[in-house]
Amino acid sequence: MRTTATVAMAAMLLPAIPATAQVVQVPVPPSAAVAPPVVMPTMPLPQLSDAQASQLAALLARDTLAQGLAVAAPQPMDAAARDRLVRDALDHARAVHAGRLAEADFQRDWGLRPPVFDPLPGFADAVKRDRIAAWFAALPPPYSGYDGLKAGLERYRSIAAAGGWSTLAAGPDLAMGATGARVLALRQRLAVEDADVAASGSSFDAALVEGVRRAQRRYGLNPTGTVAGQTLAALNIPAAARVRQIMANMERWRWLPQQLPRDRIQVNIAAAVLTVFDGDAPVMSMRAVTGRPGDETPMLSSTIHSVVINPPWNVPTSIATKELWPKEKASPGYFKRNGFRVIDGTRLQQRAGDQSALGRYKFDFDNAFSVYLHDTPSRAKFASFSRLASHGCVRLEKPADLAELLLKGDPAWTPEAIAAAVDKGDTVRARLTKPVSVYLLYWTAFASGNGQMNFRADPYGWDSTLASKIEARSATQLIAAR
């Protein structure tokens, strides 16, 4: 049974993307890629019957494409080569269940790792009980978010195979009342992804305005109903690039545990949205500000253990050196005016209060990247559809609401007690009686409840990088297996 709540909900509730849509370009996999280490079987390979070998060959041929492990259809499997067929099945199972990448393929800021998975015992049992198809069906991540991407992958592969869509020509903005060939081309383009848009007609009427708005929401753009630069760029991303984008996001689902914690906080980094889940249901959502390109917010999982009220800001050395010391030099007294003090002659700390970059709340969780969730005195960015502007931490639109929710049920931290502590101004650490899991994730493609695919830009270039790594690893694994 598939879990209905998805991490992608966070992006669906309050969409946002950086200022320009980006084409997802995937380089040709390097021919010199290092093959993954050979995994020695932990037990003898099972012996297949003729019928099982034929069934397994057919399942592998179909599922390699369906699970987004290859761009092109693989060579037909040879049911007669039993041992090789079994080894191919085991490799496929590892890739579908725990991801295609080897440890060396992960960037440092991709701080999620799938658990080690040995498919052989389960496969041997499936062969013994003649339940190979059921074993195959149970391999993918057990989430509706993954299922939605899988269905979207099939659809966008079909669109790409049929020639994709034509590039819309540049020109003046298209809005209500426009007419001509560019409007007709716009209709035809929108109709590929939206059955409610009429593909014929050369006038920009009210129905087309709504079709454009739906498209803009799917791409995380401001739904103005006018086709300007950002909308045109998003519409002109090729269908083949969307296929690779979906594949990259499917891979990231495989890095998650097979069962997410019932109570959890999820941040979609690419969409800059935080969602709180109670079991399978989202109970709170808010806009966030995440890391700008160059100061990427890492993917990770951890546990929020405390809320710091009125936190001081211990300025990272890199920010102090590159940004704050030059400001003090250019305008002496900058530190004093903004509440900074110098510690040990080099370190900077900003005192708690209204000026603090961390605002009135900080949500602490252990991680190797020194990032956290926090309040901010700078509120203007939350109104923007482009909210990648931090140094890597996650700024929150409604931190007081989150603090109250996390501390709910603790008699020492009623809403009144929290407000009194904030007003007093002293720095206080409120430890959670029930720590809450937190996931920082990077979703740029996801399906809505009706199956409609939604896309976001790839601000960090991680889709392109990951898609190329998947293809390279698949190619070298194939060579190693032969």
Side-chain angles (χ1 to χ4, degrees), residues 281-352:
V283 296
M284 180 182 291
S285 183
M286 67 185 70
R287 297 188 178 206
V289 173
T290 51
R292 61 197 178 198
D295 290 309
E296 290 83 359
T297 297
M299 287 184 279
L300 61 83
S301 64
S302 187
T303 303
I304 296 178
H305 53 73
S306 55
V307 179
V308 181
I309 299 172
N310 297 315
W313 181 33
N314 294 305
V315 183
T317 301
S318 59
I319 298 176
T321 302
K322 295 178 182 178
E323 300 181 25
L324 299 183
W325 281 104
K327 289 181 179 179
E328 173 67 20
K329 184 177 180 180
S331 178
Y334 172 84
F335 285 169
K336 184 177 181 180
R337 293 191 300 273
N338 289 277
F340 289 98
R341 67 188 182 104
V342 181
I343 302 173
D344 297 332
T346 56
R347 294 191 298 115
L348 290 181
Q349 184 186 73
Q350 189 179 34
R351 67 172 178 264

Side-chain angles (χ1 to χ4, degrees), residues 82-372:
R82 301 292 173 83
D83 280 359
R84 194 176 78 185
L85 186 62
V86 169
R87 292 183 187 280
D88 284 347
L90 296 176
D91 171 66
H92 178 84
R94 293 186 193 96
V96 172
H97 189 80
R100 170 55 77 190
L101 302 191
E103 176 66 27
D105 295 321
F106 282 85
Q107 298 180 182
R108 181 178 179 274
D109 46 12
W110 297 356
L112 298 171
R113 297 292 187 277
V116 175
F117 172 61
D118 181 3
L120 182 52
F123 178 67
D125 181 67
V127 172
K128 180 180 179 180
R129 297 190 296 130
D130 200 23
R131 292 181 56 82
I132 293 176
W135 175 77
F136 248 80
L139 289 172
Y143 302 112
S144 60
Y146 183 88
D147 292 342
L149 287 177
K150 183 171 177 284
L153 179 65
E154 181 179 9
R155 182 184 175 201
Y156 278 77
R157 272 209 175 105
S158 297
I159 292 172
W165 44 70
S166 299
T167 300
L168 298 177
D173 294 353
L174 292 175
M176 182 78 169
T179 59
R182 290 181 67 224
V183 175
L184 174 60
L186 173 63
R187 285 184 172 278
Q188 293 171 339
R189 166 64 185 88
L190 291 174
V192 177
E193 294 181 285
D194 186 348
D196 291 333
V197 174
S200 60
S202 58
S203 63
F204 203 122
D205 55 17
L208 186 56
V209 169
E210 291 307 310
V212 170
R213 285 176 175 157
R214 289 194 297 273
Q216 289 167 329
R217 293 188 185 99
R218 291 197 303 273
Y219 302 138
L221 299 170
N222 188 6
T224 62
T226 297
V227 178
Q230 291 184 29
T231 303
L232 191 68
L235 290 170
N236 279 341
I237 292 177
R242 293 304 193 194
V243 167
R244 287 172 168 82
Q245 189 173 3
I246 294 171
M247 289 172 59
N249 282 268
M250 291 175 72
E251 176 74 3
R252 293 189 194 104
W253 276 100
R254 300 176 188 125
W255 303 348
L256 295 178
Q258 289 293 294
Q259 184 173 356
L260 288 170
R262 175 178 176 82
D263 299 321
R264 62 192 183 276
I265 292 172
Q266 299 172 179
V267 176
N268 184 335
I269 299 166
V273 172
L274 176 144
T275 302
V276 182
F277 284 89
D278 177 7
D280 209 29
V283 296
M284 180 182 291
S285 183
M286 67 185 70
R287 297 188 178 206
V289 173
T290 51
R292 61 197 178 198
D295 290 309
E296 290 83 359
T297 297
M299 287 184 279
L300 61 83
S301 64
S302 187
T303 303
I304 296 178
H305 53 73
S306 55
V307 179
V308 181
I309 299 172
N310 297 315
W313 181 33
N314 294 305
V315 183
T317 301
S318 59
I319 298 176
T321 302
K322 295 178 182 178
E323 300 181 25
L324 299 183
W325 281 104
K327 289 181 179 179
E328 173 67 20
K329 184 177 180 180
S331 178
Y334 172 84
F335 285 169
K336 184 177 181 180
R337 293 191 300 273
N338 289 277
F340 289 98
R341 67 188 182 104
V342 181
I343 302 173
D344 297 332
T346 56
R347 294 191 298 115
L348 290 181
Q349 184 186 73
Q350 189 179 34
R351 67 172 178 264
D354 292 334
Q355 288 182 305
S356 171
L358 304 188
R360 295 292 188 170
Y361 302 90
K362 176 187 175 188
F363 301 83
D364 268 348
F365 49 90
D366 297 333
N367 65 92
F369 306 95
S370 299
V371 298
Y372 38 83

